[in-house]
Amino acid sequence: MKPARLLTLIAALLAFPVAAQAPGSFQQRLLDAHNQERARIGVKPLVWSPVLAAQARVWADDLARRGVFEHSKERFGAGENLWMGTSGYYQPEAMVGSFIRERQYFRAGTFPEVSTTGKWQDVGHYTQLIWAGTSQLGCATSMANGRDILVCRYYPAGNVRGQNVP
């Protein structure tokens, strides 16, 4: 990791409180939206990770600054879902809902053979969200050019080849 990026990550970590998320907060609503779908299929709920949220913040801000939309190569063993939409228009539940809508193409099985379309990429956000082995979540948003960028990090990462998806 580049020294400047490491310093940015450390600064972001120090800026995040370790306390639980406030009821009704943006972060709590993101977590609740994830956990409602996980509960629906019988998977243990995720817990909020300030460390993952800080990592997501650094990446969201970097994407906004550079004006690109791509996955990070430095995820420290975490999975990642990205979302982008018109700034200020979407609520947290709608953002996460875009991941959940991929359920329409999902079929339980061994990853990557989990999509009715034959392409795991059509369900990759959803499978990461419901991955049974994932226990922590941290998300952050940033804004660029009239768009909100949401980065969600999941630990440990899902979408592992050869493992079963519920």
Side-chain angles (χ1 to χ4, degrees):
M1 177 181 274
K2 295 178 182 176
R5 185 167 276 173
L6 181 59
L7 289 174
T8 303
L9 179 59
I10 291 169
L13 287 171
L14 294 174
F16 266 82
V18 179
Q21 299 303 307
S25 70
F26 188 79
Q27 292 82 5
Q28 186 63 52
R29 291 170 65 191
L30 287 167
L31 179 64
D32 289 348
H34 279 80
N35 284 336
Q36 286 170 3
E37 180 63 16
R38 290 174 68 89
R40 190 188 71 75
I41 64 165
V43 179
K44 289 182 184 179
L46 300 171
V47 296
W48 189 263
S49 166
V51 172
L52 291 174
Q55 291 173 358
R57 163 74 53 217
V58 169
W59 188 242
D61 288 347
D62 188 52
L63 292 174
R65 181 183 51 74
R66 293 186 298 125
V68 298
F69 191 69
E70 62 189 15
H71 284 286
S72 171
K73 291 174 179 48
E74 298 174 348
R75 287 184 259 167
F76 314 101
E80 182 177 79
N81 279 348
L82 304 177
W83 175 93
M84 186 184 334
T86 304
S87 185
Y89 184 78
Y90 294 92
Q91 297 297 313
E93 297 81 6
M95 295 172 178
V96 175
S98 71
F99 305 150
I100 295 170
R101 276 193 299 280
E102 293 178 1
R103 174 178 65 211
Q104 67 185 314
Y105 304 115
F106 172 74
R107 64 179 169 91
T110 303
F111 192 84
E113 304 301 321
V114 292
S115 174
T116 60
T117 68
K119 295 193 267 184
W120 72 265
Q121 295 88 341
D122 292 339
V123 297
H125 297 98
Y126 181 68
T127 53
Q128 175 58 82
L129 188 148
I130 64 165
W131 199 264
T134 298
S135 60
Q136 299 176 45
L137 171 71
C139 303
T141 59
S142 196
M143 188 178 74
N145 301 319
R147 301 226 183 255
D148 286 331
I149 299 168
L150 171 71
V151 176
C152 287
R153 294 275 175 99
Y154 304 81
Y155 188 84
N159 294 348
V160 179
R161 191 172 289 277
Q163 291 190 9
N164 288 332
V165 185

